[in-house]
Amino acid sequence: MPIPSLTSSAFPRPKRIAARSFASYPNKDEAEAEAEETDATDVEELPPPRNHDQNDKELDLGNPSASASNKTPEEIDVEKQDSLESETDPSNRKIDDDSEKQSDDAEEGEDKDEENNEESDALQKAMAAPFPHVPTWQLTLVDSVHLGITNNRDVAVLQPAPKANAAAVSFERGDFDPVFGLSVFGGEDDRQVRSEIQNFGAKTNYQNRDFFKPVDGLNQIYLKQRLMNGGSYEIGVGTDYQRFVPAGSELILPSAWESSININYIQPLLRGRGKAAATVKLRVAQAKQEQSQYEFYTELREIVRDIDIAYWELAGARRRLDVAKRYVRLGEIYNEQEIERGDLGLSAKPQQIQAMTLLGDFIISAAQAKVEVDVSEMKLRRLLGIADQLYADNSLCSLESNPEIGLPIEPVYDVNHLDEPTDLSAAISHAMSRPEIVFQQAKVKEIQYRLAAAKNSLLPDIKAYTQYQQLGLAKELDSSSSTVFDGDYELWGVGITYERRLTQRSERADVRRLSYLLCQEQAQARKVSHDIVGQLRETKAFIDTARATIEAREAQLEKLAEQVEIYNELYKENRVSLFERVQFATRLQEAELSLIQDWTLLQANQAQWRFARGDNADTCGIELSNGRTYL
């Protein structure tokens, strides 16, 4: 909206005094008398000078049929005398003077209009003149978001969380990996015996025994694994070497290797059976990892939203600062005009103070706008992660590859592409895939996994055991091993165990606790969806209201500009007071600043709309749905 034209032509100029040539009068005495009268009154404008030759020519043109040859000299002298008498007659002179005064007034009015137009154009140029160039760092919204995601300190804080939970998943998954083992134990056993039976028929009271066997169990080399259905197995080979000294008569092989191939399997039948119970820790870890991932996406989107809003706040603050500076210029012009009027005696001290007060108000508004720019820029710098890139003296402390980073930030945008479409139904459908909803669904799944395992713990603990062995005994190890693979000697068996707590107080309490937590998380999931829809509706209402307000303010601003133009013209004619003129100038400034404030609010609400709709920064060319770039 252009600033109304205000010119110094409101000040009346001294009236011009017309001068007449003495040659236009019939005699010098009359001319001198008329000149003295004109100097005494100093109010009447006189017609331009004329001469007798011109009068004669006008007479001839007025009567073409007349000629000197048809009239006698006496008749010509009489006509000339009548003409002079008519010209010097006071009544005729007044008519001529009034006519020529109107002509001069019209000419003076035209001069004033021309001067007003020139001064108005000069004022418009002064108001629209660019301010001194200050180097700035021109930054688009896309560049801001890219820079913020790269350098924002919150991103650095949140980034390890999904990685830590992914490591926890791997930790729990490792519980189901196969285990390879070795178990070796050997030595010598020297002891006393009470009978020949203990000494296998030897006639001594002592026995020496050399041995080599597993530390525990049957296998010296084995492979075992816990299965996701709750069972476990172990496959291995083992040997038990023993040599007795002295060799009793009852011993067939005083020194022998007893080797075997062993297979054991244990399977829970009720409690602990199935994935719900066996893999509960793994499934909970997976749910937590999913939660942390989508929580990171949520925080990342909030950072993008905050950058988006801060960017437009800075853009609006800079626009308000520019407008405030231009009104400071306007206040200076008003002040100068009142000083000029005071020099001409047309303005008193109160009017001059009033103009100075208006200038002071405009200066204060500009100072406040400057503070708002500084605060908004620092807020944006903090979100971009570059708040610590400057020393107090604005010298660079890092990122020297980008020398513009120390300059004031100037948002660069296309005003023709700022109107965000607000299709509510499409936005609600798109918002149902927001990471907040997926995060809450992952929390519900975590509680469901825990509850399923808790319910399984109410069942009796019944386990089935199976064992199978192929055996071989020989004096030499290789002979013993070959006997094992012959399959002539074997051992097999099955068994079962049963165990159950009598009251199951703790198991039932755990089921109740998890049931309540599940209800809570499910209600929270419904609340998240509900709040997102409400947020979309609320933001759309804000956007629609802001658009309507901007239209109304634009119309109001146009009318105020017209009123200021009218009051300026009336002030030139001294038909309105300075107070009214200043009042409308102040209202015009407030209206223009309010319009920019509403524009900033509209842009901030559109940024909030993009966030509520679930945009993954697609408008900035950044896809956040795949977190591998950031995880």
Side-chain angles (χ1 to χ4, degrees):
M1 183 63 62
I3 303 298
S5 60
L6 303 174
T7 69
S8 59
S9 60
F11 316 137
R13 294 174 296 174
K15 196 168 186 180
R16 293 177 297 176
I17 306 300
R20 294 184 61 179
S21 172
F22 289 104
S24 61
Y25 292 93
N27 56 66
K28 183 177 180 180
D29 295 335
E30 185 178 357
E32 290 176 351
E34 184 65 20
E36 291 176 358
E37 182 181 356
T38 302
D39 292 338
T41 58
D42 200 26
V43 295
E44 191 175 24
E45 295 186 4
L46 302 179
R50 302 175 64 183
N51 54 54
H52 293 289
D53 295 338
Q54 183 180 0
N55 293 335
D56 295 341
K57 186 175 180 181
E58 289 177 355
L59 290 174
D60 293 340
L61 292 175
N63 186 9
S65 61
S67 64
S69 60
N70 297 329
K71 294 182 180 181
T72 62
E74 292 78 5
E75 292 177 347
I76 293 175
D77 292 337
V78 171
E79 289 179 358
K80 289 182 178 182
Q81 185 67 27
D82 292 340
S83 177
L84 291 174
E85 291 176 357
S86 175
E87 186 180 39
T88 56
D89 185 71
S91 61
N92 294 334
R93 282 182 56 207
K94 184 176 181 180
I95 294 174
D96 293 340
D97 290 344
D98 291 341
S99 176
E100 296 201 9
K101 182 178 180 181
Q102 293 178 359
S103 177
D104 286 348
D105 289 342
E107 181 180 353
E108 183 178 357
E110 292 177 358
D111 293 341
K112 287 184 178 181
D113 291 341
E114 183 178 355
E115 184 177 355
N116 290 346
N117 292 334
E118 291 177 356
E119 294 178 353
S120 177
D121 293 341
L123 180 61
Q124 292 285 356
K125 291 179 181 179
M127 294 296 296
F131 296 103
H133 175 69
V134 177
T136 58
W137 180 17
Q138 295 188 348
L139 203 62
T140 65
L141 180 60
V142 175
D143 295 337
S144 300
V145 173
H146 275 282
L147 187 62
I149 291 178
T150 304
N151 298 288
N152 187 277
R153 298 303 187 262
D154 291 333
V155 175
V157 172
L158 297 169
Q159 204 170 24
K163 296 179 181 180
N165 285 278
V169 173
S170 298
F171 175 82
E172 296 297 338
R173 195 182 299 276
D175 195 28
F176 298 95
D177 292 340
V179 177
F180 173 79
L182 295 173
S183 179
V184 179
F185 182 72
E188 182 179 345
D189 182 11
D190 296 334
R191 68 178 64 194
Q192 293 176 313
V193 295
R194 290 187 175 92
S195 66
E196 294 181 2
I197 296 175
Q198 288 179 286
N199 210 10
F200 299 103
K203 302 297 183 179
T204 60
N205 63 348
Y206 69 93
Q207 183 187 68
N208 296 332
R209 182 173 67 92
D210 298 332
F211 62 89
F212 180 78
K213 63 178 183 178
V215 175
D216 187 17
L218 302 173
N219 298 310
Q220 289 166 312
I221 302 175
Y222 59 88
L223 181 70
K224 66 179 182 179
Q225 184 179 11
R226 182 187 173 195
L227 303 178
M228 289 189 177
N229 62 359
S232 62
Y233 71 86
E234 181 177 344
I235 300 175
V237 295
T239 183
D240 185 3
Y241 170 76
Q242 296 189 54
R243 185 175 70 90
F244 293 91
V245 178
S249 59
E250 301 294 332
L251 290 173
I252 299 175
L253 294 173
S255 175
W257 297 82
E258 185 177 10
S259 302
S260 64
I261 297 177
N262 310 296
I263 300 175
N264 294 329
Y265 183 77
I266 303 175
Q267 175 62 53
L269 300 180
L270 292 177
R271 182 176 182 177
R273 178 177 180 271
K275 289 186 176 181
T279 64
V280 59
K281 291 184 179 180
L282 174 61
R283 300 172 81 180
V284 167
Q286 289 174 334
K288 285 185 175 294
Q289 193 272 338
E290 188 177 8
Q291 292 172 33
S292 64
Q293 180 176 349
Y294 283 99
E295 184 179 16
F296 175 72
Y297 293 158
T298 300
E299 296 289 343
L300 202 60
R301 292 183 62 254
E302 289 178 353
I303 291 172
V304 172
R305 177 202 59 190
D306 293 342
I307 292 174
D308 198 351
I309 294 176
Y311 181 88
W312 294 116
E313 287 178 350
L314 177 58
R318 286 210 170 276
R319 290 185 62 182
R320 284 191 292 274
L321 178 60
D322 291 341
V323 171
K325 286 181 178 180
R326 297 189 185 281
Y327 274 95
V328 169
R329 287 183 177 177
L330 181 63
E332 292 173 349
I333 293 173
Y334 276 27
N335 190 45
E336 291 173 359
Q337 289 179 351
E338 288 304 314
I339 293 175
E340 293 178 5
R341 286 172 58 89
D343 294 340
L344 296 175
L346 301 176
S347 176
K349 191 67 174 178
Q351 283 78 18
Q352 297 179 16
I353 294 176
Q354 191 173 9
M356 293 175 62
T357 302
L358 176 67
L359 175 59
D361 292 340
F362 287 164
I363 291 175
I364 292 173
S365 297
Q368 292 173 344
K370 181 62 171 64
V371 172
E372 186 178 359
V373 168
D374 294 340
V375 172
S376 300
E377 181 174 344
M378 184 49 64
K379 177 181 178 181
L380 180 59
R381 283 183 177 273
R382 177 180 59 81
L383 292 171
L384 297 182
I386 57 174
D388 60 346
Q389 302 300 327
L390 300 177
Y391 290 118
D393 59 354
N394 289 336
S395 60
L396 296 177
C397 64
S398 63
L399 294 182
E400 296 180 358
S401 60
N402 186 4
E404 293 184 340
I405 199 169
L407 299 177
I409 297 177
E410 180 182 359
V412 179
Y413 50 89
D414 186 357
V415 295
N416 297 321
H417 297 84
L418 297 181
D419 197 10
E420 184 76 22
T422 53
D423 186 350
L424 185 59
S425 59
I428 292 175
S429 177
H430 189 273
M432 291 302 102
S433 61
R434 279 178 55 172
E436 293 91 334
I437 295 178
V438 183
F439 167 81
Q440 194 59 38
Q441 291 172 350
K443 293 193 70 174
V444 171
K445 286 194 295 184
E446 177 192 349
I447 303 301
Q448 288 175 339
Y449 295 153
R450 293 182 182 274
L451 180 61
K455 290 181 177 179
N456 181 266
S457 66
L458 295 174
L459 302 175
D461 186 8
I462 301 176
K463 294 179 181 179
Y465 295 83
T466 61
Q467 181 178 359
Y468 177 79
Q469 292 180 284
Q470 287 187 355
L471 308 172
L473 179 64
K475 187 176 181 180
E476 302 295 337
L477 178 60
D478 53 350
S479 300
S480 171
S481 299
S482 61
T483 302
V484 169
F485 288 105
D486 290 341
D488 295 335
Y489 307 97
E490 62 184 9
L491 180 151
W492 65 270
V494 296
I496 190 170
T497 61
Y498 175 88
E499 186 177 306
R500 184 176 186 180
R501 196 189 302 267
L502 293 179
T503 59
Q504 292 188 319
R505 182 180 303 173
S506 60
E507 290 86 348
R508 294 182 185 277
D510 193 34
V511 170
R512 290 197 303 272
R513 178 182 68 85
L514 292 171
S515 298
Y516 293 141
L517 289 177
L518 179 61
C519 293
Q520 181 183 11
E521 297 300 336
Q522 289 175 339
Q524 180 65 24
R526 292 190 293 270
K527 179 180 180 298
V528 170
S529 300
H530 171 270
D531 291 347
I532 287 175
V533 175
Q535 189 181 48
L536 281 169
R537 294 181 182 276
E538 180 181 354
T539 307
K540 185 179 187 301
F542 279 132
I543 291 175
D544 294 341
T545 302
R547 288 172 177 169
T549 303
I550 288 175
E551 292 181 1
R553 287 202 184 277
E554 288 177 346
Q556 179 192 33
L557 193 62
E558 184 177 356
K559 296 300 182 183
L560 283 174
E562 293 178 0
Q563 286 181 321
V564 170
E565 288 281 0
I566 294 173
Y567 269 81
N568 288 338
E569 295 298 328
L570 294 175
Y571 185 71
K572 297 172 189 178
E573 301 172 4
N574 294 324
R575 296 172 60 184
V576 295
S577 64
L578 177 63
F579 174 79
E580 294 173 299
R581 185 190 192 197
V582 168
Q583 183 182 20
F584 275 93
T586 304
R587 288 183 61 186
L588 182 64
Q589 181 222 26
E590 293 174 352
E592 192 163 357
L593 293 178
S594 299
L595 176 62
I596 299 175
Q597 183 70 32
D598 292 334
W599 177 86
T600 306
L601 182 63
L602 173 61
Q603 300 308 318
N605 278 288
Q606 290 188 151
Q608 180 65 31
W609 170 266
R610 290 189 287 270
F611 172 79
R613 188 173 55 188
D615 289 2
N616 291 329
D618 295 335
T619 54
C620 299
I622 300 172
E623 177 58 47
L624 303 182
S625 59
N626 182 4
R628 293 182 180 179
T629 305
Y630 310 102
L631 298 181

